[in-house]
Each structure stands twice: as structure tokens, then as C-alpha cells.
Amino acid sequence: STYGKVGARTEMPGCSLCMGNQARVGDATTVVSTSTRNFPNRLGKGADVFLASAELAAVAAIEGKLPTPAEYLTYADKISSTKADTFRYLNFDQLPDYVQTAESADLGDEYAGALDKEVQRLKDQQK
């Protein structure tokens, strides 16, 4: 693989190293991780772990290092130019299949009532 030739490794998304579901990184390895937390030796003995957004991790993968602010902004500008398409998946309320499925989901009475209250609270907050 291209990544393997340069010493990089990708892992399956999900609950990973914190649960021991995947191999640990090598001792004293530098890692850019999109995981949600870090503590000493979490990913490997003496590993230097930099927590990053998916966006920053992608830039680091392209650059082969943590980017400088200027390098990051070069990519951020490119991403920003396509943001309407790039980030549309975050707008669940605008995805017809998602909305249709969500409207027909059976949450049970207790959760449905809590959801109705939260929806009303958010609507009141927007007024």
C-alpha cells in the first residue's frame, strides 16, 4: 500500500486502541489520531500522540507531518471552496432518506416524549 511504503498505517474507525481491539503502535512512535482522548502510553509505549480533527489528520497525512498554520490554511481554503458539498452530510435534517427514516422510527413512549420536549425547547430557543 502507498501508506505502508512510507511507514504510515490507517485503522478501522470505531472504538479502537482504548478497548484493545487493534494493535498498538510501535514504541516511541509519533501518531496523529482522530480519537477522542489521550493519556500516556494509550496508543503505545512512549508514543507521541497528537489528537486532531479528521480534517487536520487528512492534511497531516498528505504533508507527512503536522502542518504549519500556513500549510493547514492552504488546504482549509480548498476545503472551504467546496464546503456546501463537503459538509452536507452533517445536515441530517436536509437528507430526505434520513428524515423519512427518522420520522418513522419507533423510539418508545418514554424516549418519544423526551424527544418532543427537546424539539420544543429548541424551537422556543430559536424564537
Side-chain angles (χ1 to χ4, degrees):
S1 95
T2 301
Y3 291 118
K5 289 177 185 174
V6 296
R9 187 172 94 194
T10 60
E11 297 290 346
M12 294 297 293
C15 195
S16 58
L17 299 168
C18 64
M19 296 297 289
N21 294 334
Q22 298 168 350
R24 292 168 57 85
V25 301
D27 291 354
T29 301
T30 299
V31 177
V32 175
S33 175
T34 57
S35 62
T36 57
R37 60 191 171 275
N38 188 25
F39 48 84
N41 301 312
R42 176 176 179 262
L43 298 181
K45 184 177 179 185
D48 288 324
V49 180
F50 297 90
L51 299 184
S53 66
E55 188 177 277
L56 178 57
V59 173
I62 293 166
E63 290 290 320
K65 64 183 182 83
L66 285 173
T68 65
E71 290 167 335
Y72 173 81
L73 289 173
T74 299
Y75 291 96
D77 288 343
K78 290 177 184 177
I79 292 168
S80 185
S81 69
T82 62
K83 67 183 175 186
D85 186 54
T86 302
F87 299 111
R88 73 183 157 81
Y89 69 91
L90 295 173
N91 299 316
F92 297 116
D93 63 316
Q94 297 172 24
L95 299 173
D97 289 345
Y98 179 87
V99 171
Q100 182 181 1
T101 301
E103 288 174 348
S104 63
D106 180 7
L107 302 177
D109 293 339
E110 181 180 345
Y111 290 110
L115 176 62
D116 289 343
K117 286 179 184 176
E118 180 63 9
V119 168
Q120 188 59 51
R121 185 188 70 78
L122 292 171
K123 286 180 179 177
D124 292 343
Q125 197 174 45
Q126 289 177 347
K127 292 179 183 178

